[in-house]
Amino acid sequence: MPSYLHEGLLDLFRTEVSLAPTLLVEEFDVPLQAAAQMRAEPCDFTDMGPKEYRGDLALSTHDDRDQPILGVCVEVQLSKKDDRRWKWPVYVATLRSRLGCPAVLLVVTPSRQVAEWAAKPIELGPCGSVIHPLVLGPDRFPLVTDPDEARRCPERATLSAIAHGAGPHMDDVLPAFLAGLMKIDDERVKMYLDLVDDALTLAASRRLEELMKSTPEYRGRIATKYVAKGREEGRAEQAARAVLTVLTARGLELSAAQRTQLAACTDLSQLDAWLTQAVTATRTDELFV
């Protein structure tokens, strides 16, 4: 099952379909017309048999006559999986055939080790046929320090914060990232914040929180809603762990359904009540009814 990080990174490229082609031009010198139009394509790559290959994201660029000029297979890769290197050529060849134009493979990874592995040429046969993956690793993630640039493309600023938010440009990258969040919907704000916060060091994460709380614009739009919510969720998780610890120490085992109920509870008063009951309960169903 795809992880939250995998789906979050992929959502950046789904939401802003111009992001992948723009980075192809900037980082890999792929020639594209300035006015090329971008659109999403089906990402199922089915061969002649019953087997179906499904990629992460397929995009196409079109000229002013709406003719396809380049297909892009975007693959988010978080770990080394050798079976991917057998499937990726299928994705590229199928998209190329479907669109009737050249196609490239763009692998996106926040890991330098995975980037090095993914960048190795894929040999198709003994006669020299090779596919060269274009790998957008952390060293190629864009560096966005201009708030205006971040507002124009929050997804680009999010990639920047993931790769560079804990580095020497932290005090320029993180404010730009927050500026980019001001124009998007609440659901994406939370997703992008979570993606960046998970990638940051502890010191950088604290710096991000300081910026959200100390800047009036961010405090009203972001910090009040998400920092406070995060702290409340953290307290609920700690309280749930305390209930589980007491019950386990007393030799009382929760059923799968009871564990689910405990983990899902965010009501601190209910969790406190369960903790008090856990000290004297003789059966778990005295708590969970």
Side-chain angles (χ1 to χ4, degrees):
M1 179 177 294
S3 68
Y4 182 84
L5 176 58
H6 179 279
E7 288 303 294
L9 285 171
L10 195 56
D11 189 70
L12 299 179
F13 290 86
R14 285 198 192 106
T15 302
E16 181 52 69
V17 293
S18 67
L19 183 60
T22 299
L23 292 173
L24 285 174
V25 173
E26 294 177 353
E27 298 296 330
F28 304 100
D29 295 324
V30 174
L32 279 177
Q33 299 177 15
Q37 302 173 15
M38 279 70 72
R39 66 183 63 167
E41 294 287 337
C43 55
D44 56 309
F45 303 106
T46 307
D47 60 16
M48 294 300 292
K51 189 172 184 178
E52 181 181 68
Y53 294 95
R54 179 167 291 276
D56 283 340
L57 179 65
L59 303 170
S60 61
T61 62
H62 297 250
D63 61 20
D64 53 8
R65 296 174 299 169
D66 203 31
Q67 294 299 308
I69 55 178
L70 182 70
V72 184
C73 298
V74 180
E75 291 291 305
V76 173
Q77 197 66 34
L78 304 182
S79 61
K80 300 177 185 179
K81 294 183 178 179
D82 288 336
D83 67 313
R84 294 293 189 272
R85 293 175 59 80
W86 294 102
K87 295 177 180 178
W88 287 341
V90 178
Y91 301 170
V92 176
T94 304
L95 188 61
R96 177 179 179 273
S97 175
R98 180 186 296 163
L99 296 174
C101 70
V104 298
L105 169 66
L106 178 64
V107 181
V108 181
T109 178
S111 165
R112 287 181 175 83
Q113 290 77 18
V114 174
E116 183 179 352
W117 163 81
K120 295 176 181 177
I122 302 173
E123 296 184 1
L124 302 182
C127 299
S129 297
V130 175
I131 287 181
H132 294 275
L134 303 178
V135 181
L136 190 72
D139 294 333
R140 287 184 177 269
F141 278 26
L143 176 63
V144 178
T145 59
D146 180 359
D148 288 336
E149 181 183 0
R151 292 186 188 98
R152 288 192 296 270
C153 187
E155 291 72 26
R156 185 182 178 89
T158 301
L159 282 178
S160 171
I162 289 171
H164 309 294
H169 301 283
M170 176 174 65
D171 285 333
D172 294 317
V173 168
L174 294 182
F177 163 65
L178 291 175
L181 299 183
M182 299 301 291
K183 299 296 183 180
I184 62 178
D185 60 81
D186 287 350
E187 184 176 348
R188 281 197 293 155
V189 167
K190 186 177 188 311
M191 175 182 286
Y192 296 177
L193 272 174
D194 287 345
L195 283 174
V196 170
D197 194 50
D198 285 348
L200 295 177
T201 62
L202 180 59
S205 180
R206 288 174 176 168
R207 179 58 178 151
L208 179 65
E209 184 174 336
E210 289 172 1
L211 287 169
M212 286 191 289
K213 292 191 297 183
S214 63
T215 306
E217 183 183 20
Y218 304 148
R219 186 171 62 243
R221 171 70 171 82
I222 302 173
T224 301
K225 184 177 296 184
Y226 296 106
V227 173
K229 182 179 180 182
R231 286 179 172 169
E232 184 174 337
E233 289 175 348
R235 289 196 294 268
E237 290 175 2
Q238 291 177 348
R241 282 197 296 271
V243 173
L244 184 60
T245 298
V246 171
L247 291 173
T248 301
R250 300 189 63 241
L252 300 175
E253 292 294 327
L254 295 180
S255 67
Q258 289 170 339
R259 282 180 176 272
T260 299
Q261 185 178 354
L262 176 61
C265 182
T266 58
D267 185 340
L268 292 175
S269 61
Q270 177 63 73
L271 288 164
D272 286 341
W274 282 342
L275 183 58
T276 301
Q277 291 175 278
V279 176
T280 58
T282 57
R283 302 187 314 277
T284 57
D285 57 10
E286 292 179 22
L287 282 72
F288 306 98
V289 294

